[in-house]
């Protein structure tokens, strides 16, 4: 059975509002998360990703009230990330209405938390969120909302996270983020070769023709933010292009 390609809008949330910038900087307001979530649900989004983009850099938890209000408006899987460090954080987010939980900074600080979360809730709940930059020709993962580079090779880290229990990988190219120049296909290729869990391509979508190549290079799902928030594309536009290229969509 062929699995349908998922199209996922991303809500980057800061202080209760959806924001969007370029390369994670110069953030500008893009609307109310609850309203946008309802709109994307109506448009036929397969899932919704909600990332509290300043939770880790501000050393605080995700805003649970915004998560619960968002969850009340959508009837599709909701992935929430930002500031997740412990099993208890995941428990609180699931109780607030999340279906899956993304972890980045917390997993890099203490990799064994991946296994702890997977053991308690199941691997399908755990999404490794990898914010990746190219540094001196190598892909490295960054932490704290892209603000700090680690010394971890991004491809090796994704493979290690899968081995530890991550059920899915959200692969975000920091270099492409917000540029609308297309996904980093080399990065998708490199990670796809090393992991077998579902892979979400993120960062760089700017036109309807950008999505299909990411799938052709191995992504199981495609994620975008600003093109959806500002009405440049709809979920239907992207699904139509994927279907026209022969990829199954819901």
């Amino acid at each position: 059975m062929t699995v349908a390609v998922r199209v996922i809008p991303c809500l980057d949330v800061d202080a209760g509002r959806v924001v969007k910038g370029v390369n994670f900087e110069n953030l500008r307001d893009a609307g109310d998360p609850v309203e946008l979530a309802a709109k994307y649900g109506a448009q036929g989004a397969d899932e919704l990703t909600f990332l509290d983009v300043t939770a880790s850099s501000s050393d605080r938890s995700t805003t649970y009230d915004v998560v619960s209000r968002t969850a009340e408006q959508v009837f599709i899987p909701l992935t929430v990330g930002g500031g997740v460090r412990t099993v208890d954080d995941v428990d609180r987010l699931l109780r607030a209405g999340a279906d899956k939980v993304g972890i980045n900074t917390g997993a890099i600080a203490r990799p064994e938390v991946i296994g702890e979360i997977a053991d308690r809730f199941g691997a399908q709940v755990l999404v490794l969120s990898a914010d990746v930059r190219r540094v001196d020709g190598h892909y490295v993962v960054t932490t704290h909302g892209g603000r700090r580079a680690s010394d971890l090779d991004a491809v090796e880290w994704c493979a290690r996270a899968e081995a530890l229990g991550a059920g899915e990988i959200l692969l975000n190219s920091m270099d492409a983020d917000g540029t609308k120049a297309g996904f980093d296909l080399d990065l998708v290729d490199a990670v796809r070769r090393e992991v077998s869990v579902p892979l979400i391509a993120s960062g760089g979508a700017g036109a309807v023709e950008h999505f299909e190549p990411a799938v052709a290079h191995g992504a199981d799902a495609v994620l975008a933010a600003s093109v959806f928030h500002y009405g440049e594309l709809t979920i239907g536009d992207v699904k139509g292009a994927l279907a026209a290229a022969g990829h199954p969509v819901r």
Side-chain angles (χ1 to χ4, degrees):
M1 177 180 154
T2 308
V3 179
V5 177
R6 290 169 289 147
V7 179
I8 307 174
C10 183
L11 306 178
D12 293 321
V13 179
D14 181 19
R17 297 289 292 179
V18 177
V19 295
K20 195 60 199 156
V22 177
N23 309 128
F24 281 33
E25 296 178 348
N26 302 316
L27 301 179
R28 63 184 177 121
D29 190 274
D32 176 74
V34 181
E35 291 175 8
L36 284 171
K39 180 180 88 169
Y40 295 140
Q43 276 189 16
D46 297 300
E47 296 185 9
L48 192 65
T49 293
F50 177 114
L51 299 177
D52 189 324
V53 293
T54 54
S56 287
S57 58
S58 304
D59 197 28
R60 61 172 172 77
S61 300
T62 304
T63 12
Y64 293 94
D65 63 313
V66 184
V67 172
S68 58
R69 287 191 293 116
T70 303
E72 286 167 6
Q73 291 298 317
V74 294
F75 305 98
I76 52 178
L78 175 64
T79 298
V80 181
V84 175
R85 297 174 187 84
T86 66
V87 167
D88 288 342
D89 291 337
V90 175
D91 187 56
R92 286 184 68 189
L93 286 171
L94 295 176
R95 290 175 188 275
D99 298 284
K100 296 188 277 189
V101 174
I103 185 169
N104 174 19
T105 301
I108 291 170
R110 205 171 69 82
E112 54 268 33
V113 75
I114 295 174
E116 293 166 4
I117 294 167
D119 287 346
R120 174 143 173 210
F121 302 106
Q124 78 284 349
V125 162
L126 182 57
V127 180
L128 180 83
S129 182
D131 292 336
V132 180
R133 283 193 193 279
R134 198 189 288 252
V135 178
D136 297 328
H138 298 282
Y139 289 116
V140 299
V141 285
T142 64
T143 64
H144 299 82
R147 290 166 178 79
R148 301 183 197 170
S150 75
D151 56 0
L152 287 173
D153 176 273
V155 179
E156 291 175 3
W157 171 239
C158 289
R160 183 181 174 198
E162 178 185 13
L164 288 168
E168 188 166 40
I169 292 170
L170 170 54
L171 186 62
N172 187 39
S173 168
M174 302 285 303
D175 302 309
D177 176 76
T179 63
K180 300 187 181 179
F183 294 96
D184 185 335
L185 301 178
D186 290 340
L187 176 60
V188 175
D189 270 337
V191 174
R192 177 78 284 166
R193 282 195 295 269
E194 299 300 326
V195 304
S196 57
V197 293
L199 184 61
I200 305 167
S202 167
V208 73
E209 58 268 20
H210 288 158
F211 293 88
E212 193 280 332
V215 177
H217 282 257
D220 301 280
V222 283
L223 179 147
S226 54
V227 289
F228 294 142
H229 300 339
Y230 300 121
E232 296 161 46
L233 294 175
T234 66
I235 306 297
D237 293 337
V238 175
K239 289 192 173 186
L242 291 171
H247 299 291
V249 294
R250 290 192 183 97

